[in-house]
């Protein structure tokens, strides 16, 4: 499932291929390809010029030369591919934008949890994205406020990290990696952690995701490819997630797997004590 670094990698690819192009034709091929909250049909974007590509958390949007945006969410398995029109349609092709560069931007999604939508621009972000909290790379991210709100919660720290209303973009993989790096047990209660410790955790989130961004994103889904069709598979760089029974690189203790808040969770029982 794509997380923030994967979505950012896709955004960079789209920025390269689609920025400055005009949509000659827009088509959808599956009822779930369009989010029910879409203001209009995707086909109404015919004639719009793509001025830039933006992202908040796992939401991407194409800014247009009109007060609307095309918002995209990759869901579990969504991919964008730039293709020559002569290449036959992919089996799970859900939508297609024909660009004035004689290329097609194809949205492919086997599990159909991904979607596209036309949304009104509301200042810097589309209406559909407005309720999503800024992610750690967003200039609007207020780390002092997030530390304060996190410390006031009585839940375990891992579900708080995954809470998209507190900060967006952290999914299961990077939550485990960040907790490992900050040496915090995933079941520690938020209100038992000092301000300094939560600040250190946010720094860990930033460094884990920056590292993944440099490597082009991590994904365990063989369906995931970036916009150029290359796989974003960088499992080797993970320290905790998916490494049950392997040795912690810091202390040689075996990584354990437990369930926290219904999610599979990996941690080092020695470095991350309760
Ligand atoms: Zn360890």
């Amino acid at each position: 499932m794509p997380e923030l670094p994967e979505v950012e990698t896709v955004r960079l690819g789209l920025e390269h291929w689609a920025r400055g192009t005009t949509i000659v034709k827009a088509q959808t091929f599956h009822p779930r390809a369009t989010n029910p909250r879409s203001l209009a049909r995707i086909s109404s974007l015919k004639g719009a010029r793509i001025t830039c590509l933006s992202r908040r958390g796992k939401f991407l949007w194409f800014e247009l030369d009109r007060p609307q945006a095309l918002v995209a969410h990759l869901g579990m398995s969504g991919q964008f591919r730039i293709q020559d029109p002569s290449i036959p349609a992919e089996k799970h092709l859900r939508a297609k934008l024909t660009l004035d560069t004689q290329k097609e931007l194809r949205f492919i999604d086997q599990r159909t949890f991904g979607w596209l939508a036309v949304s009104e621009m509301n200042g810097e972000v589309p209406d559909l994205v407005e309720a999503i909290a800024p992610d750690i790379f967003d200039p609007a991210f207020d780390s002092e406020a997030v530390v304060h709100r996190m410390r006031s919660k009585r839940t375990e720290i891992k579900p708080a990290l995954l809470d998209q209303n507190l900060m967006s973009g952290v999914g299961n993989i990077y939550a485990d990696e960040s907790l490992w790096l900050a040496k915090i047990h995933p079941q520690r209660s938020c209100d038992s952690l000092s301000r300094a410790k939560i600040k250190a955790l946010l720094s860990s989130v930033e460094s884990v995701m920056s590292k993944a961004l440099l490597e082009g994103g991590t994904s365990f889904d063989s369906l995931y490819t970036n916009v150029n069709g290359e796989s974003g598979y960088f499992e080797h760089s993970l320290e905790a997630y998916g490494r049950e029974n392997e040795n912690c690189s810091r202390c040689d203790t075996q990584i354990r797997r437990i369930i926290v808040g219904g999610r599979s969770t990996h941690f080092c029982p020695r470095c991350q004590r309760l």
Side-chain angles (χ1 to χ4, degrees), residues 1-8 58 169-175 218:
M1 185 161 167
E3 292 201 27
L4 186 152
E6 287 80 15
V7 179
E8 176 62 12
K58 296 194 235 175
V170 182
N172 207 33
I173 298 175
Y174 297 113
T218 304

Side-chain angles (χ1 to χ4, degrees), residues 180 248 250-253 268 270-271:
W180 179 87
C248 169
R250 268 188 312 230
C251 75
D252 254 357
T253 304
C268 170
R270 188 164 174 197
C271 297

